[in-house]
Amino acid sequence: MEITNVNEYEAIAKEKLPKMVFDYYASGAEDQWTLQENRNAFSRILFRPRILIDVSKIDMTTTVLGFKISMPIMVAPTAMQKMAHPEGEYATARAASAAGTIMTLSSWATSSVEEVASTGPGIRFFQLYVYKDRNVVAQLVRRAERAGFKAIALTVDTPRLGRRESDIKNRFTLPPYLTLKNFEGLDLGKMDEANDSGLASYVAGQIDRTLSWKDVQWLQTITKLPILVKGVLTAEDARMAVQAGAAGIIVSNHGARQLDYVPATIIALEEVVKAAQGKIPVFLDGGVRRGTDVFKALALGASGIFIGRPVVFSLAAEGEAGVRKVLQMMREEFELTMALSGCTSLKEITRNHIITDWDAPQARLVPKL
């Protein structure tokens, strides 16, 4: 059966993958309310399309931290991709490069920064978890720099791992034939079996709970790379990120895997954008499955979006070809949404192109019965 949208890859991945692996990728924290809400919230934003505009030529290109990319759709960091497919992060890196966009490599990748760099040219960012041992962090950042990575995406919402109940039930651990490649030489590459989630135990043992804004400044002393703060959901923290010298903000709730009952990222986005006051770019991560979702995020002020789960699900289904297809489908849908909304470039996408259910009461999407 022909795949016609990104969502269809999830069911294929579920069939193909061991239950422990699929559940790790698919699940969220606790009641998974935010997991559903990350998707559902997009349906509370409707379009106000403008007509009779020449849309024969559409330009989706943009720049992110000075790097030109083909579209505002980028690859989010997702861990342990070789659990999905033997080529793992290699395949994702090649697909992102072919699509002319940015891949973010997870700290917890099953391929190292050097291995991913060896796949060929491409603009790549490195997602960083801060370990208790700061020498490990400094070493990793230096390796990413040397391997040609262009930015650090610092994950700031994980002083402890969220309660992911399927991982507890499945006693999730990294399969024995894989390692967290970036940490292999440091004896931090293996995850022990645990009587709950092996990853939760690993995080409790290794990740620094004392992480604070001063560490964002410390990071700037050890690297020249721009730092994106990933995991901001409030205006207060957006202002702090600007003050701390961040190069950008990624509005993210960690794929709804950390604190349940935080808002969908598309709902939190506008508050963060307003607080950033145009001083640094704001990106959206979480729940994007359609080109229409991309347009809605840009209309609310995002400079671009990141997709995570669609990448691992398509990787599980079809390897590199699957990831290429996801990026292509997202691109085509986004281009069509722009055309049907009367926009020929990203700068033409405005807040006036959408209406949300939190706009003025007379603008309610659904009449109150």
Side-chain angles (χ1 to χ4, degrees):
M1 191 190 70
E2 189 185 354
I3 289 168
T4 53
N5 69 69
V6 163
N7 287 307
E8 290 173 347
Y9 277 114
E10 182 165 355
I12 299 170
K14 188 172 188 174
E15 270 175 40
K16 279 200 159 186
L17 293 172
K19 180 173 163 52
M20 179 189 81
V21 172
F22 177 79
D23 287 354
Y24 170 72
Y25 291 141
S27 63
E30 297 185 357
D31 298 329
Q32 303 194 116
W33 182 85
T34 298
L35 184 67
Q36 305 303 315
E37 180 67 4
N38 266 357
R39 284 295 307 127
N40 294 342
F42 280 102
S43 66
R44 302 201 293 274
I45 304 168
L46 301 186
F47 293 119
R48 301 181 68 248
R50 301 302 307 275
I51 54 165
L52 294 174
I53 291 165
D54 176 353
V55 290
S56 56
K57 289 191 180 67
I58 289 186
D59 178 13
M60 289 181 285
T61 61
T62 188
T63 58
V64 170
L65 303 181
F67 298 99
K68 192 165 185 186
I69 55 174
S70 68
M71 57 181 176
I73 301 164
M74 299 167 281
V75 175
T78 49
M80 311 177 221
Q81 291 179 15
K82 283 188 180 176
M83 294 195 307
H85 187 275
E87 292 183 5
E89 294 84 2
Y90 287 75
T92 302
R94 290 192 293 258
S97 179
T101 193
I102 291 164
M103 174 197 182
T104 317
L105 183 71
S106 170
S107 273
W108 295 337
T110 38
S111 313
S112 67
V113 288
E114 293 84 3
E115 287 172 333
V116 169
S118 78
T119 62
I123 305 155
R124 302 186 185 103
F125 294 173
F126 182 70
Q127 176 272 334
L128 181 69
Y129 283 115
V130 176
Y131 279 58
K132 289 173 181 172
D133 182 344
R134 291 309 163 87
N135 292 325
V136 167
V137 179
Q139 217 175 316
L140 198 51
V141 169
R142 270 199 301 275
R143 282 172 56 198
E145 267 186 312
R146 274 204 302 272
F149 284 68
K150 301 300 186 213
I152 301 292
L154 175 69
T155 297
V156 294
D157 57 12
T158 313
R160 299 173 57 170
L161 203 70
R163 183 176 176 83
R164 307 167 188 178
E165 292 177 9
S166 55
D167 288 352
I168 297 169
K169 284 189 171 71
N170 295 332
R171 301 281 187 265
F172 174 81
T173 190
L174 185 63
Y177 58 90
L178 295 174
T179 57
L180 301 179
K181 266 291 201 242
N182 288 314
F183 300 97
E184 201 173 33
L186 302 158
D187 288 336
L188 297 170
K190 283 290 180 197
M191 208 174 286
D192 298 324
E193 299 270 343
N195 57 9
D196 54 1
S197 153
L199 184 62
S201 303
Y202 180 85
V203 168
Q206 302 299 340
I207 302 304
D208 193 345
R209 296 183 186 185
T210 73
L211 191 69
S212 70
W213 287 107
K214 68 179 189 305
D215 297 297
V216 179
Q217 286 159 324
W218 168 75
L219 211 48
Q220 291 167 75
T221 67
I222 67 161
T223 182
K224 294 275 191 289
L225 295 180
I227 293 159
L228 298 170
V229 178
K230 179 175 182 282
V232 173
L233 292 170
T234 63
E236 296 90 325
D237 283 335
R239 286 190 285 269
M240 298 281 282
V242 171
Q243 279 167 10
I249 288 169
I250 303 174
V251 175
S252 172
N253 52 33
H254 209 116
R257 294 155 76 78
Q258 284 299 100
L259 180 61
D260 200 14
Y261 299 98
V262 295
T265 47
I266 194 68
I267 303 288
L269 175 63
E270 201 163 23
E271 171 182 329
V272 172
V273 167
K274 283 176 177 163
Q277 297 181 321
K279 291 172 185 163
I280 56 175
V282 176
F283 304 94
L284 176 109
D285 167 69
V288 174
R289 300 292 180 272
R290 286 276 191 189
T292 49
D293 300 336
V294 180
F295 188 101
K296 289 170 185 181
L298 268 61
L300 286 168
S303 292
I305 65 91
F306 289 88
I307 50 170
R309 286 187 182 90
V311 170
V312 284
F313 292 150
S314 59
L315 182 64
E318 295 175 354
E320 181 184 336
V323 182
R324 281 181 184 239
K325 183 147 188 206
V326 156
L327 291 168
Q328 185 61 25
M329 283 190 293
M330 293 286 298
R331 180 191 176 85
E332 287 170 4
E333 287 182 18
F334 178 54
E335 184 176 25
L336 182 60
T337 306
M338 284 179 68
L340 297 179
S341 296
C343 298
T344 63
S345 69
L346 302 192
K347 67 175 187 300
E348 290 178 7
I349 301 173
T350 69
R351 185 63 167 79
N352 292 330
H353 284 96
I354 57 165
I355 188 160
T356 73
D357 71 350
W358 59 90
D359 290 328
Q362 70 270 21
R364 285 275 173 239
L365 304 184
V366 183
K368 287 280 182 281
L369 296 173

